Every structure is written in C-alpha cells, then in structure tokens.
Amino acid sequence: MEDHLHEAMALPGARNAAVVECATGFVLAAVGATPRGSADETAVETAELARMAIEHAAFAGGDDPGGSAHRPGDSGVEDVIVTTRTAYHVLRFVDAAFDGGVFVHLRLDRSTGNLALARIRMRSVAERLVGA
C-alpha cells in the first residue's frame, strides 16, 4: 500500500497520505508528516468526515435517491474535498470489499498543490489499491 501512497506523494505540494478504514479510523498505511498530532489521530478525525459523507442522504448519488447505502462504493460519493487556508485535503473512497470501507486521504499544500491533478491521481491510486 505504501508504494501506492508514494505515487500520490509525487504530486506537487503533497505533504502526507494515508489509507484509512472508514468505520474505525484505523490507519492501514501512511507516508509523510501530519501537521498536528499523529497519523492515527488524523485518521480518526478524517474517518468521521468520511462516514458523514457516505451515510447522509444529502450526498447520495443519483442511483440511490434514498441515500440508504453506508459503504463508499454504494453511496455514490467518490471523494470529499476540504479546503483550509493552507491546505487541500482530498479523501478518495476505494471501491473494495473491505468491511466498513476504505479511503485514501491526501493533504496538499495549498500554495503549491494542484487540486485537479490530485483528484486524477487519487482516482488512479484508489483503483490500484483495489488490484493490490
């Protein structure tokens, strides 16, 4: 998994990346340094956000008007982007048979990162993780 994360870290402005289990916030792999706290603490916090996105009907895809799905691949949500004053956070869901679902979290420096390129690369990383 770390090899796939290093692919994401090759992006301009990439600061850290992690593969995280949605239900628990457990870190399956991580590279780079987190700005505050440990990778484990960051993963638990980002997992809360990821669960909110996949569990709420407001974010359900067009194929699921009831919003009843609770797994990333079933919810219609592909990624979540959070923009802060200094960073972009991209959470990309992985369509895989992991219990509770998995996502990749990439933090980019806002002044040097390219959000569009990051989304493209994160899609590739997520697809490769399924095949890993």
Side-chain angles (χ1 to χ4, degrees):
M1 280 190 207
E2 286 185 7
D3 290 341
H4 299 298
L5 293 179
H6 285 294
E7 178 184 342
M9 291 295 289
L11 287 164
R15 296 295 177 248
N16 64 291
V19 179
V20 180
E21 202 276 324
C22 287
T24 63
F26 180 75
V27 177
L28 300 173
V31 296
T34 57
R36 294 185 262 296
S38 70
D40 293 326
E41 292 171 7
T42 300
V44 168
E45 293 171 355
T46 57
E48 287 182 42
L49 179 62
R51 283 191 306 273
M52 285 178 33
I54 61 175
E55 291 176 354
H56 291 282
F59 303 112
D63 296 340
D64 186 14
S68 60
H70 294 285
R71 290 183 44 123
D74 298 336
S75 71
V77 176
E78 292 180 348
D79 51 34
V80 174
I81 299 168
V82 176
T83 304
T84 69
R85 290 183 180 159
T86 60
Y88 296 122
H89 295 263
V90 180
L91 282 62
R92 177 69 188 200
F93 294 102
V94 177
D95 287 332
F98 296 104
D99 287 339
V102 171
F103 65 91
V104 181
H105 172 212
L106 173 68
R107 182 175 60 95
L108 292 168
D109 180 89
R110 187 169 169 165
S111 64
T112 58
N114 180 323
L115 190 53
L117 182 59
R119 287 193 67 221
I120 292 167
R121 181 74 53 87
M122 293 298 284
R123 179 178 44 220
S124 173
V125 168
E127 289 169 357
R128 289 179 185 191
L129 281 171
V130 172

